[in-house]
């Protein structure tokens, strides 16, 4: 365009200097000049439109590239049919006072002991209490995910080592559903109750814990989850690493070490705070410490641990106390300690039912 401008300017200068130009009237010269100038402006406008169109195409291409990058690089939703899995694989039949391993073919294995240990081997065997070996993956059909179940009753605990090296401590009154072999792209387990996990790192396969309320996604970390189906409150406490907490496929929070995420399913609210994580994982060693905790929460914890029911009125919820209970003791000794710690009276009304009142 600059070359065209120079040519027109040279031509006009020659016209003005040419002797023959004198034969044109002043008005004719002016009209000729306007026509040449209009032509010049036409090419200028055309150039601008071309630049605008080119810029629009470039912007569209950039948007497409960014959209593709976002789709493929952004975190994918964490979605699983929790209810369907727990209903399909979660029926344990009759109740038991012992830990039970239920295989995919519905075979039930009773494991005695207050604290049991199970370790899966890559060869398709599970070692129980470091003595017995049981074959567990004999029943898989090609392409099918084979699930096992671990049921830990009141007053018992269990330590489970999965075949990827991840260790899971399972608290009293908990049910864990997990595959014998994890998928190639992710590791998923399903829990009703409380567990502590030491997840074996595997960047290619994130570890996902599904509960009835929320889902927790990690790569390699140590954390505790308390998510009993009969309790509206859920808690996630992070010891090390980093975890993502999701609800209905949407990320709710990212936790850092020493953070507590608490969610109330009835109120649909949540909060994050800094805590002493040792208070939340002491159950692994058989202890329950609490600091200025409301009595209702303490009784709910004991209810799940010992498999009993407590009845109390709203006055009890107003009380809070601090202390430490030894969960290895029998329930009566624990309740006697609690009566000394808080200003309450606990009366047994049936074999597994108690009434709690504030002391007059």
């Amino acid at each position: 365009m600059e070359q065209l401008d120079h040519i027109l300017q040279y031509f006009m200068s020659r016209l003005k200097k040419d002797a023959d130009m004198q034969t044109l009237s002043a008005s004719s010269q002016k009209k000729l000049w306007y026509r040449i100038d209009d032509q010049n402006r036409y090419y200028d406008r055309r150039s601008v439109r071309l630049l605008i169109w080119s810029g629009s195409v470039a912007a569209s291409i950039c948007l497409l590239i960014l959209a593709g990058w976002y789709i493929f690089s952004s975190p994918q939703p964490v979605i699983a049919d929790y209810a369907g899995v727990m209903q399909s694989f979660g029926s344990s039949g009759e109740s038991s006072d012992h830990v039970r391993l239920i295989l995919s073919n519905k075979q039930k294995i009773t494991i005695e002991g207050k604290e049991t240990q199970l370790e899966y081997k890559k060869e398709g065997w599970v070692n129980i209490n470091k003595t017995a070996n049981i074959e567990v993956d004999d029943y898989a059909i090609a392409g099918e995910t084979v699930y096992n179940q671990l049921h830990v009753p009141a007053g018992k605990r269990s330590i489970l080592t999965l075949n990827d090296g991840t260790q899971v401590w399972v608290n009293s009154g908990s049910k864990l559903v997990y595959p014998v072999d994890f998928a190639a792209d992710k590791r998923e387990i399903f829990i009703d109750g409380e567990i502590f996990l030491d997840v074996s790192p595997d960047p290619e396969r994130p570890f996902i814990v599904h509960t009835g309320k929320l889902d927790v996604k990690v790569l390699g970390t140590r954390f505790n989850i308390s998510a009993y189906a009969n309790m509206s409150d859920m808690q996630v406490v992070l010891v090390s690493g980093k975890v993502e907490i999701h609800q209905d496929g949407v990320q709710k929070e990212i936790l850092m070490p020493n953070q507590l995420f608490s969610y109330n399913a009835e109120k649909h609210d949540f909060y994050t705070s800094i805590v002493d994580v040792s208070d939340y994982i002491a159950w692994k060693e058989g202890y329950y410490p609490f600091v200025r905790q409301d009595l209702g929460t303490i009784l709910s914890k004991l209810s799940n641990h010992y498999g009993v029911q407590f009845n109390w009125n709203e006055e009890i919820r107003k009380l809070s106390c601090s202390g430490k209970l030894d969960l290895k003791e029998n329930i009566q000794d624990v309740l006697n300690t609690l009566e000394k710690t808080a200003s309450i009276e606990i009366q047994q009304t049936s074999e597994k039912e108690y009434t709690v009142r504030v002391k007059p």
Side-chain angles (χ1 to χ4, degrees):
M1 294 303 298
E2 291 181 358
Q3 185 179 7
L4 179 60
D5 287 340
H6 290 316
I7 293 172
L8 288 172
Q9 290 174 6
Y10 173 77
F11 177 68
M12 290 303 298
S13 65
R14 295 299 298 169
L15 283 176
K16 292 184 177 181
K17 294 178 180 178
D18 200 306
D20 291 339
M21 282 288 292
Q22 299 300 323
T23 59
L24 293 174
S25 64
S27 61
S28 297
Q29 293 180 38
K30 191 174 183 179
K31 288 180 181 180
L32 178 59
W33 173 259
Y34 284 153
R35 288 184 62 184
I36 294 172
D37 187 54
D38 286 342
Q39 190 71 9
N40 191 26
R41 291 177 181 275
Y42 165 77
Y43 284 107
D44 284 343
R45 288 194 301 271
R46 185 178 178 184
S47 176
V48 170
R49 285 197 300 270
L50 180 61
L51 287 172
I52 293 173
W53 180 83
S54 300
S56 299
V57 171
S60 299
I61 292 172
C62 289
L63 285 174
L64 287 173
I65 293 172
L66 287 172
W69 172 85
Y70 176 79
I71 290 170
F72 289 104
S73 67
S74 61
Q76 296 301 306
V78 177
I79 300 174
D81 183 10
Y82 175 86
V85 169
M86 297 303 278
Q87 288 173 4
S88 299
F89 302 97
S91 178
S92 61
E94 71 282 356
S95 61
S96 173
D97 292 331
H98 299 290
V99 173
R100 283 182 300 167
L101 173 65
I102 303 177
L103 304 181
S104 59
N105 66 344
K106 305 304 180 184
Q107 178 186 357
K108 297 180 178 68
I109 301 168
T110 299
I111 309 171
E112 296 185 356
K114 191 174 181 66
E115 184 170 285
T116 61
Q117 296 184 29
L118 297 88
E119 182 179 3
Y120 279 76
K121 305 293 186 178
K122 294 185 182 297
E123 298 79 15
W125 296 82
V126 60
N127 180 276
I128 297 178
N129 286 340
K130 298 183 178 180
T131 55
N133 287 302
I134 297 175
E135 193 171 10
V136 292
D137 66 348
D138 227 10
Y139 320 104
I141 301 173
E144 178 187 8
T145 300
V146 175
Y147 288 89
N148 287 348
Q149 310 163 50
L150 184 64
H151 294 257
V152 180
K156 304 293 175 68
R157 295 185 305 277
S158 187
I159 302 174
L160 171 67
T161 302
L162 300 171
N163 65 0
D164 70 331
T166 294
Q167 287 189 297
V168 187
W169 284 257
V170 187
N171 204 356
S172 301
S174 300
K175 176 170 57 182
L176 179 65
V177 177
Y178 55 94
V180 174
D181 290 308
F182 288 115
D185 59 341
K186 59 186 174 182
R187 297 170 289 172
E188 293 182 295
I189 64 173
F190 301 79
I191 177 67
D192 170 11
E194 184 169 22
I195 58 176
F196 176 86
L197 297 100
D198 188 347
V199 178
S200 179
D202 187 346
E204 301 301 322
R205 295 190 300 170
F207 199 102
I208 304 171
V209 182
H210 297 287
T211 77
K213 306 175 182 71
L214 301 169
D215 306 296
V216 181
K217 178 181 177 182
V218 303
L219 293 177
T221 187
R222 302 174 70 234
F223 65 106
N224 193 85
I225 298 179
S226 179
Y228 287 94
N230 64 342
M231 296 178 64
S232 59
D233 290 319
M234 172 188 170
Q235 294 178 333
V236 180
V237 176
L238 183 61
V239 177
S240 64
K242 184 173 71 172
V243 302
E244 297 176 4
I245 300 174
H246 298 250
Q247 183 180 44
D248 299 328
V250 178
Q251 183 175 295
K252 302 284 287 185
E253 190 67 86
I254 296 178
L255 289 190
M256 297 300 175
N258 301 313
Q259 283 190 320
L260 161 72
F261 176 89
S262 184
Y263 173 76
N264 185 284
E266 292 181 353
K267 299 177 181 178
H268 300 289
D269 60 2
F270 63 90
Y271 66 88
T272 303
S273 59
I274 302 296
V275 296
D276 182 352
V277 296
S278 62
D279 292 341
Y280 292 85
I281 64 175
W283 63 265
K284 292 170 51 192
E285 312 302 327
Y287 294 98
Y288 176 28
F290 44 93
V291 178
R292 294 187 299 276
Q293 195 165 73
D294 69 271
L295 199 55
T297 299
I298 296 172
L299 292 172
S300 295
K301 291 274 189 180
L302 295 178
S303 176
N304 281 319
H305 183 81
Y306 288 102
V308 298
Q309 179 180 341
F310 294 100
N311 301 310
W312 67 82
N313 56 27
E314 288 302 314
E315 282 187 277
I316 294 296
R317 290 191 179 275
K318 298 176 183 177
L319 298 179
S320 64
C321 56
S322 301
K324 182 179 182 179
L325 298 175
D326 187 348
L327 300 178
K328 297 186 293 294
E329 295 181 341
N330 64 56
I331 186 171
Q332 194 56 56
D333 290 337
V334 169
L335 295 182
N336 290 340
T337 301
L338 188 59
E339 282 185 315
K340 296 175 183 177
T341 304
S343 183
I344 57 173
E345 294 177 341
I346 303 175
Q347 181 181 3
Q348 185 172 4
T349 55
S350 65
E351 182 182 0
K352 291 190 175 183
E353 191 169 357
Y354 296 81
T355 299
V356 184
R357 299 185 181 91
V358 177
K359 283 183 179 180

